[in-house]
Amino acid sequence: MTKLFTAEHPSPRDTHIHLMGIGGIGVSAFARLLKARGYHVSGCDAQASELTRQLEAEGIAVQLGHDPAHLLAHGSRPAASVLVASEAVSKTHPEVQAALDAGLSVLPRMELLAQLLAASPSIGVIGTHGKTTTSSMIAVALEGAGLDPAAFVGGIVPEFGANARAGQGPFVAEVDESDRRFAQLSCETAVFTNAEDDHVGGNQATYWETVEEQHEGFAQFVSQAKRVLYYADWQGLEGRNLDHLVAGCAEQLSYGISQGCTYRAENLRRDPAGTSFTVTCRGEVLGEARVSLPGHHNAMNALAALAVTHLYGGDFNRAAQALAAFKGPGRRWQHIGELHGAQVVDDYAHNPTKLHAAVQAAQQTGRRVRVIFQPHRYLRTQQSWPRLADALMDADEVMVLDIAAAGETPIEGIHAQLIVDRMSGGGHAGARYWPQRGDVVDYLRRTADQGDIIVTMGAGDVWQLARQLVEPADDPLSPLKEAR
């Protein structure tokens, strides 16, 4: 296996790394980090996207489609010496097979992340929820504190204008448990937000067969870190389960609002725009903090970021100021605009816990909460539709779209109407299934009021509706218009 970032490896300028699936949020971040380190970087993807266009503007060559010819020398570009590909890509794929036949190193994405984590002091953020926001906040706080972090994030961080940051300080990485190889990685500080039953079951190549198996992966990752900082208030991280998940780590630190937390948020003051609180470490006041995002979960994510900054010797007040100005990564409580005075927000929430947190955040604004929800994957909906329905009950109005298949084959009897029927049966008068997305946009354009907050929720393409809502209704050039 090729080892990058080592003294034994040839100069980065002599190394051409080609990345398959470069338009993905994770692989594009790798491309940016590798280019910043001086490597010759190229990539390919099935289709062009905003991300691939941004990479090309940054000087990274992107080819459309997959072809062994991508690995050959072309113009000033040397022949590839390393191919980075997802573990889900078959070894018989023509591009991968050509690399193997040519004696190139084929590097799985998780192995690349492992090498990045090992190359410098590193913070790996794990957990079922909150990884992208917490990783973003840690990077922003470290930068604000003057520690010049590098970062690998599963979303666009507005402060960086990208999903990655090249820096000489600690390396902050979002580590996704949907890839089973994550458990083999090690880092200096593991930030553990929570553990639930997501990315479990079905025939996805990288999913876990059982929750217990997934939790073993979390425990293994934690045991390989120098220290773990875990969210002590998470109901699933308590008693014997907590002991099992974090006991393998030599140094165990906690954050939350409970008595006994190493890092504690006290005197929380909530308002429509966010939460202010006092941060203490082992009873000693570090200072005042604020997060300009509603929802208790965002206050806890910010607390984790400030705890990490303190662990790495950063200036608390400067870090707190940076977080107070932080507006969130893309698709995580992202303010899109207004419609007739109503706030329009987009959020990646797609499982019950995330939906519940997003609804609570919307309620904190004091506005009427109107949700457009797109269920994600048939298997996930089959596993959790009652909990999805229950998580949405506190919203004033819920418009449920068809399930985003994400490549899955439909499952007989699994339909968005299940969620609506359960909500209606539970007494919710404002839940309805909308088969035509354009009708949702028309309806909200007629009925939106300045006292509303409209939140699009889901991991599919529901974000498009949020942008349609804030556009002029008669704009014929809008790229987000869709046929009925």
Side-chain angles (χ1 to χ4, degrees):
M1 185 71 71
T2 296
K3 294 292 184 182
L4 305 175
F5 325 125
T6 64
E8 293 77 17
H9 196 272
S11 167
R13 288 175 295 179
D14 300 326
T15 304
H16 173 193
I17 302 176
H18 183 76
L19 300 102
M20 294 181 67
I22 199 169
I25 194 69
V27 182
S28 59
F30 281 135
R32 286 168 162 145
L33 289 171
L34 291 168
K35 183 175 186 296
R37 289 173 178 258
Y39 292 93
H40 192 107
V41 179
S42 67
C44 59
D45 213 313
Q47 58 189 14
S49 65
E50 183 60 31
L51 264 175
T52 62
R53 288 186 282 271
Q54 290 174 0
L55 293 174
E56 289 183 294
E58 296 166 19
I60 296 173
V62 178
Q63 290 87 29
L64 297 183
H66 298 290
D67 192 322
H70 296 161
L71 306 176
L72 304 177
H74 180 73
S76 62
R77 188 186 79 198
S81 47
V82 178
L83 174 67
V84 176
S86 165
E87 290 81 351
V89 178
S90 170
K91 294 296 186 291
T92 61
H93 187 287
E95 200 160 346
V96 175
Q97 190 61 57
L100 293 171
D101 291 345
L104 273 62
S105 177
V106 178
L107 202 62
R109 291 185 300 177
M110 272 295 169
E111 173 59 27
L112 178 54
L113 182 56
Q115 294 189 26
L116 285 164
L117 287 167
S120 60
S122 57
I123 299 109
V125 182
I126 61 169
T128 316
H129 319 298
K131 292 185 298 293
T132 299
T133 302
T134 304
S135 302
S136 301
M137 285 184 174
I138 292 172
V140 167
L142 291 174
E143 182 190 34
L147 296 180
D148 191 27
F152 172 87
V153 181
I156 303 301
V157 183
E159 284 76 1
F160 308 150
N163 49 356
R165 183 183 191 276
Q168 300 302 310
F171 175 54
V172 184
E174 174 180 346
V175 182
D176 190 353
E177 79 284 353
S178 69
D179 190 321
R180 296 164 59 94
R181 289 172 63 101
F182 95 94
Q184 302 171 23
L185 276 55
S186 60
C187 62
E188 185 173 67
T189 303
V191 178
F192 193 178
T193 61
N194 43 62
E196 277 196 342
D197 59 346
D198 205 13
H199 299 131
V200 174
N203 58 2
Q204 295 295 317
T206 56
Y207 275 26
W208 302 86
E209 292 185 10
T210 65
V211 175
E212 292 75 19
E213 187 182 21
Q214 183 202 60
H215 285 191
E216 287 295 332
F218 282 131
Q220 181 179 342
F221 182 91
V222 168
S223 71
Q224 293 157 180
K226 175 182 176 181
R227 67 171 70 93
V228 61
L229 175 70
Y230 66 90
Y231 179 38
D233 297 335
W234 187 257
Q235 292 183 354
L237 295 181
E238 59 186 9
R240 293 170 58 187
N241 195 33
L242 172 61
D243 291 341
H244 169 67
L245 289 169
V246 306
C249 188
E251 184 180 359
Q252 301 167 26
L253 309 173
S254 60
Y255 68 97
I257 62 172
S258 301
Q259 292 285 346
C261 287
T262 313
Y263 291 91
R264 189 169 177 231
E266 302 180 13
N267 189 27
L268 276 72
R269 289 94 65 196
R270 298 178 178 86
D271 59 67
T275 305
S276 300
F277 53 97
T278 304
V279 179
T280 63
C281 176
R282 295 187 171 91
E284 178 184 348
V285 174
L286 298 182
E288 294 298 313
R290 176 172 175 79
V291 59
S292 298
L293 296 166
H296 182 76
H297 62 296
N298 281 318
M300 295 301 98
N301 294 338
L303 176 62
L306 290 168
V308 170
T309 304
H310 183 254
L311 287 171
Y312 282 82
D315 183 275
F316 178 90
N317 290 328
R318 289 173 60 187
Q321 289 172 6
L323 284 181
F326 178 66
K327 298 299 183 184
R331 297 228 59 215
R332 274 70 177 180
W333 202 258
Q334 182 177 0
H335 285 264
I336 305 302
E338 291 191 354
L339 173 65
H340 307 321
Q343 290 184 7
V344 179
V345 171
D346 177 52
D347 197 89
Y348 191 68
H350 59 277
N351 62 30
T353 300
K354 292 177 181 178
L355 287 176
H356 179 67
V359 171
Q360 281 192 325
Q363 288 180 305
Q364 189 174 324
T365 68
R367 294 169 174 258
R368 178 171 62 151
V369 179
R370 309 179 75 180
V371 171
I372 308 172
F373 174 55
Q374 180 187 38
H376 190 246
R377 296 187 182 276
Y378 285 93
L379 176 62
R380 179 179 276 141
T381 306
Q382 181 185 49
Q383 292 172 333
S384 61
W385 65 264
R387 289 183 291 148
L388 292 170
D390 295 347
L392 292 165
M393 287 295 287
D394 287 339
D396 295 291
E397 184 176 15
V398 179
M399 292 151 269
V400 183
L401 308 179
D402 281 317
I403 298 169
E408 288 185 351
T409 302
I411 298 174
E412 185 177 356
I414 301 304
H415 191 275
Q417 188 68 47
L418 290 169
I419 297 170
V420 173
D421 289 346
R422 180 175 175 89
M423 294 184 69
S424 299
H428 200 295
R432 178 180 166 191
Y433 164 60
W434 292 76
Q436 301 295 329
R437 294 159 62 116
D439 290 344
V440 176
V441 175
D442 291 343
Y443 166 67
L444 288 171
R445 282 179 172 155
R446 293 195 311 270
T447 62
D449 181 83
Q450 63 181 0
D452 294 343
I453 182 167
I454 301 168
V455 189
T456 53
M457 297 185 190
D461 62 357
V462 66
W463 58 269
Q464 295 182 355
L465 273 66
R467 285 150 181 81
Q468 281 186 267
L469 288 171
V470 302
E471 294 171 348
D474 57 353
D475 180 2
L477 302 179
S478 169
L480 297 178
K481 299 292 180 188
E482 62 178 2
R484 297 287 177 85

